[in-house]
Amino acid sequence: MVKSTRHAKYELYYHIVFIPKYREPRLMGATKERLKTIFAEICDDKDLELVEVEIMPDHVHLFVGSPPRNEPSLLVNWLKGISARYYNQRYDDRIKWTRSYYVGTAGSVS
């Protein structure tokens, strides 16, 4: 769906993939559900559209819609940094993400 700001019409979606430190297969069960909640909370706070979340045991796939003022590296920084901080403050088991990530764009051209 096309959205707009004062000066732009846009339809920007990013496919973001990142992994936990040492690619440990620990994103299962309660951890998976907690992370889904945290990602939704971050997207609400930052005015992003969380279209899809898929958490595998050793990596995370996010499909996020964003206004053009946010560059993809900033989105990844928010999602990884804030999620680790929130998770580690709220729960006893700790989570760390690697510095690497994948980001791809998706949308339509008319």
Side-chain angles (χ1 to χ4, degrees):
M1 183 170 101
V2 177
K3 297 180 182 139
S4 62
T5 62
R6 276 178 66 191
H7 302 288
K9 297 229 180 259
Y10 65 92
E11 188 175 14
L12 289 173
Y13 294 96
Y14 299 101
H15 176 207
I16 300 169
V17 181
F18 51 90
I19 60 175
K21 200 84 159 175
Y22 311 116
R23 197 151 187 157
E24 294 176 347
R26 50 180 304 206
L27 307 177
M28 299 173 281
T31 302
K32 180 179 181 175
E33 297 309 314
R34 292 170 180 169
L35 282 172
K36 284 184 178 183
T37 303
I38 289 172
F39 289 134
E41 187 178 328
I42 293 167
C43 288
D44 285 343
D45 290 344
K46 298 296 185 180
D47 200 26
L48 304 173
E49 179 187 358
L50 185 60
V51 178
E52 187 77 31
V53 179
E54 187 64 39
I55 300 177
M56 308 309 259
D58 64 346
H59 64 282
V60 175
H61 288 267
L62 298 170
F63 195 60
V64 179
S66 173
R69 69 176 174 268
N70 301 328
E71 61 262 17
S73 61
L74 179 63
L75 300 178
V76 174
N77 188 6
W78 284 342
L79 292 165
K80 287 171 61 175
I82 297 171
S83 68
R85 190 167 45 251
Y86 282 3
Y87 192 91
N88 294 337
Q89 288 172 352
R90 295 176 186 175
Y91 307 107
D92 291 334
D93 55 331
R94 301 193 52 83
I95 222 156
K96 289 183 178 181
W97 305 115
T98 61
R99 296 187 321 180
S100 61
Y101 62 91
Y102 164 82
V103 64
T105 58
S108 62
V109 177
S110 58

